[in-house]
Amino acid sequence: MTEFGQRRRALLLGCGSFTDPSLAQLRSPRRDVEELARVLRSPGTCGYTVHTEVNCDSRQAQRAIEGFFSSARITDAMNLLYLSCHGVQDNRGRLYFAFTDTERDYLSSTAVSADWVRERINTSRSKATLVLVDCCFSGAFIKGMQARSTGAASVESLVQDLPRGSGVAVLTASESVWDVCWSGVSHSECNR
């Protein structure tokens, strides 16, 4: 709790192990989740209440995300969601987050849709939400950046349809920097 009694909460999801052989194993998600949790829990700096899930399946990830946002309060100082995993697009360009049981050929039933995450954010009572997307594709989110994976991906669906001033910010990792986009703001405005 902050000095004014407002909660700071974080849900950190990382996945580096996948049963689908077309999804490469990742080394850093576990370490990234552990390090971010350590920083956020530090009472001298952030003092967040942190829940972590590492190498969980898509159902466990959905349950954690839904529980996190359904328990958000208007008075929370911050609700932070961190995703460190593969980002995969379907043949229509829709973005999904991959977890241990994700099958590239069955994304809608085995992965977590970015649209579904956005809906959980949109229906929560949170007035201050920060989403950190640390996926190998996210450089494609920013105009002029190249994706690390083979297909161009768009994280824009996380903030699309959210009204201006909704209190949602999305930061995406690119090859060397974090890029930020606030809800209701165009890409050109975000990159200034």
Side-chain angles (χ1 to χ4, degrees):
M1 296 252 195
T2 66
E3 62 187 82
F4 301 106
Q6 295 178 314
R7 300 184 307 171
R8 291 179 188 216
R9 306 165 58 234
L11 173 61
L12 314 180
L13 301 175
C15 189
S17 297
F18 307 93
T19 57
D20 185 330
S22 72
L23 295 170
Q25 305 301 304
L26 301 173
R27 293 186 313 261
S28 64
R30 175 180 297 280
R31 182 186 65 238
D32 294 344
V33 164
E34 290 170 354
E35 282 299 307
L36 183 55
R38 183 185 60 74
V39 169
L40 292 174
R41 286 182 176 130
S42 173
T45 56
C46 300
Y48 276 74
T49 300
V50 178
H51 179 75
T52 64
E53 294 280 346
V54 176
N55 292 331
C56 63
D57 64 32
S58 58
R59 182 173 164 83
Q60 291 168 318
Q62 284 181 311
R63 186 175 175 91
I65 292 167
E66 186 165 10
F68 181 72
F69 284 112
S70 68
S71 63
R73 300 178 191 158
I74 291 173
T75 58
D76 289 344
M78 181 59 66
N79 289 289
L80 184 152
L81 173 63
Y82 174 71
L83 295 160
S84 179
C85 57
H86 278 301
V88 184
Q89 285 184 293
D90 67 11
N91 59 1
R92 293 177 56 198
R94 293 176 297 200
L95 174 63
Y96 293 83
F97 299 107
F99 291 91
T100 58
D101 62 334
T102 296
E103 297 176 47
R104 192 180 294 271
D105 293 335
Y106 300 98
L107 292 175
S108 66
S109 60
T110 65
V112 178
S113 162
D115 290 335
W116 183 87
V117 173
R118 182 183 46 81
E119 183 63 24
R120 301 295 70 76
I121 293 167
N122 196 30
T123 59
S124 80
R125 296 178 50 121
S126 178
K127 297 297 181 194
T129 302
L130 176 60
V131 182
L132 305 175
V133 183
D134 192 0
C135 298
C136 55
F137 63 83
S138 38
F141 178 64
I142 304 301
K143 184 178 179 182
M145 301 291 273
Q146 296 297 316
R148 291 186 203 170
S149 61
T150 57
S154 173
V155 189
E156 186 175 46
S157 63
L158 284 171
V159 293
Q160 75 182 21
D161 301 329
L162 291 172
R164 279 191 184 271
S166 64
V168 178
V170 177
L171 278 73
T172 63
S174 65
E175 288 192 29
S176 60
V177 297
W178 281 91
D179 297 302
V180 64
C181 189
W182 295 91
S183 64
V185 178
S186 71
H187 288 295
S188 61
E189 293 175 55
C190 289
N191 295 320
R192 291 184 186 160

